[in-house]
Amino acid sequence: MKRLTAYLARLFVTDALILFGVVCFLLWLVNCLRSFDVVSVKGQSIWVLGVQALYTMPPLAIAFFYVCVGIGLARALQALQTNKELHIIHTSYGLGSLWRATAVVAGAGVVCVLLLSNFVEPAANRRLNALSASIAADLVSSTLRPGRFTQVTPGVVLLIGGRGPNGEIREFFADDRRNPEMRRTYIAESARVASDGQTYVLELRNGSLQYNSDTGRFSEVTFGRYDINVDQLSQPISKKDPMLEQDTLSLVAEAMQTGGWSPALLTLLSNRMAEGLRVIGMAMMVLALMGFPSGRRARVPVPMEAGVLLIAFGERGISAYSPLGTATGALAMIVIAGVALLIRTRPRALPPAVVTP
């Protein structure tokens, strides 16, 4: 690698990493504030709050990754233009080094974001679900106070009458209103939280399960024993997708063995791979817009960060509404940036020389 290429690549990477670190820290703080009910209501420690917020970080980090890469490139190119270094690079035939440095940064960004989307995010989803189940089990088994209504998750309220030896719960009551079409009420004389090492189960004894539909229909089922996963009371009403907890290699290996390449699997794989195309498209767009020196001064100067954000919003909008898939916006950026780079680097005819007598 040439010295100029290494210098430019180091400059681009430094700005992008600093910005990405600041964004991740701010996102983590926001997640801590959003999940503060873990401490205030569910009786957990600050450490559990921080870990839970950390497990929710990968999707947000992936969404902002290519934006940070674009802003880092834009800031570095703007600094080069301000210091006249960008002019020197072009006049001294250093455009190849500029392109290679951008390619190095884009390639490293693709590797990092694919690791996040294909491996880190599924692992974080598994740990987050396990931690949520553990928090709910702890809330049911030890944190609940007799005679006090406690909200486990929005729409689910628990009440116990007292506690017995060995963690036994007396007079258990749970009201589940998450589904607007069906309300479920669990009533039991006693309950106990058990675990098989992987999941937590709430064992209800001598009780009834009541169903109230939005049409006014009522039904009741009595039981001697009824086991319910704690996840069913602690998680949102929507069902968890088990594929979100598996990394890409496991999904592909399983699909090759069974031959089950379902549309949901193909969509998930394409969504994960599209993150790499976004990094490439953003790097090419910033290079096409700011990689060439200009002596013009805009009457109303627009910050380069705002330009990158506008490009990102446009890409997300195209990808969200395009019937061709989530990679549509990224491919559009690559095509537009490629055409712009070809136009700006095409050979230009020199003006005819003027001969003076």
Side-chain angles (χ1 to χ4, degrees):
M1 184 182 295
K2 295 183 179 180
R3 291 185 178 181
L4 179 58
T5 303
Y7 167 73
L8 294 175
R10 184 170 60 253
L11 189 64
F12 296 159
V13 170
T14 301
D15 287 350
L17 285 179
I18 292 175
L19 180 60
F20 184 67
V22 173
V23 169
C24 287
F25 179 71
L26 294 178
L27 292 175
W28 179 76
L29 290 179
V30 172
N31 283 343
C32 288
L33 294 176
R34 292 177 58 187
S35 305
F36 199 74
D37 62 328
V38 172
V39 176
S40 60
V41 176
K42 300 181 181 180
Q44 302 298 313
S45 64
I46 297 294
W47 169 255
V48 175
L49 171 66
V51 172
Q52 185 181 33
L54 184 64
Y55 288 156
T56 59
M57 280 290 299
L60 297 175
I62 293 171
F64 282 93
F65 187 89
Y66 75 112
V67 177
C68 295
V69 171
I71 293 179
L73 285 171
R75 290 175 62 90
L77 290 172
Q78 181 67 31
L80 290 174
Q81 181 164 340
T82 303
N83 298 332
K84 306 302 180 182
E85 294 181 71
L86 190 60
H87 301 72
I88 299 174
I89 291 173
H90 280 265
T91 56
S92 60
Y93 302 99
L95 186 59
S97 296
L98 179 62
W99 285 37
R100 285 191 293 270
T102 306
V104 168
V105 175
V110 169
V111 173
C112 292
V113 78
L114 290 183
L115 287 176
L116 286 173
S117 62
N118 291 278
F119 299 97
V120 177
E121 184 180 7
N125 289 335
R126 291 194 302 269
R127 294 180 178 273
L128 177 61
N129 293 331
L131 180 62
S132 299
S134 175
I135 292 174
D138 180 69
L139 175 64
V140 173
S141 61
S142 61
T143 309
L144 287 179
R145 297 181 182 179
R148 176 181 175 181
F149 288 96
T150 303
Q151 179 176 267
V152 180
T153 193
V156 179
V157 177
L158 300 183
L159 174 68
I160 63 173
R163 297 186 182 277
N166 299 325
E168 183 181 1
I169 299 174
R170 297 189 298 268
E171 298 179 5
F172 178 84
F173 171 85
D175 185 36
D176 184 359
R177 300 190 181 189
R178 291 172 296 178
N179 190 349
E181 298 178 356
M182 181 66 67
R183 174 183 176 185
R184 293 180 175 86
T185 304
Y186 304 84
I187 303 175
E189 293 182 2
S190 62
R192 186 172 66 90
V193 177
S195 174
D196 59 359
Q198 296 181 349
T199 60
Y200 293 90
V201 177
L202 185 61
E203 300 177 356
L204 305 180
R205 298 182 182 275
N206 301 326
S208 62
L209 175 58
Q210 300 176 355
Y211 296 90
N212 291 274
S213 66
D214 57 347
T215 59
R217 300 182 59 182
F218 173 81
S219 61
E220 182 178 16
V221 178
T222 59
F223 55 82
R225 174 175 171 177
Y226 185 83
D227 294 346
I228 178 174
N229 287 335
V230 176
D231 292 348
Q232 297 184 18
L233 295 177
S234 62
Q235 300 295 334
I237 190 75
S238 58
K239 294 183 179 179
K240 295 183 298 183
D241 188 353
M243 290 191 299
L244 298 178
E245 300 181 6
Q246 293 181 265
D247 59 75
T248 299
L249 292 181
S250 301
L251 291 174
V252 172
E254 182 178 345
M256 292 179 65
Q257 291 178 357
T258 61
W261 295 91
S262 62
L265 174 60
L266 295 177
T267 301
L268 177 61
L269 294 179
S270 63
N271 290 343
R272 291 178 177 179
M273 295 302 173
E275 300 299 335
L277 294 177
R278 287 191 174 100
V279 175
I280 297 175
M282 181 61 74
M284 292 180 62
M285 287 291 293
V286 174
L287 181 62
L289 292 175
M290 305 191 63
F292 299 85
S294 174
R296 299 178 182 178
R297 294 184 179 180
R299 296 182 178 179
V300 182
V302 179
M304 57 275 190
E305 293 88 351
V308 173
L309 290 176
L310 288 176
I311 294 173
F313 287 143
E315 184 274 329
R316 289 290 181 177
I318 294 174
S319 300
Y321 294 101
S322 173
L324 302 178
T326 55
T328 306
L331 293 175
M333 285 196 301
I334 293 175
V335 172
I336 294 173
V339 172
L341 288 173
L342 289 176
I343 293 175
R344 302 197 72 172
T345 56
R346 74 183 189 278
R348 292 177 174 84
L350 296 175
V354 179
V355 180
T356 57

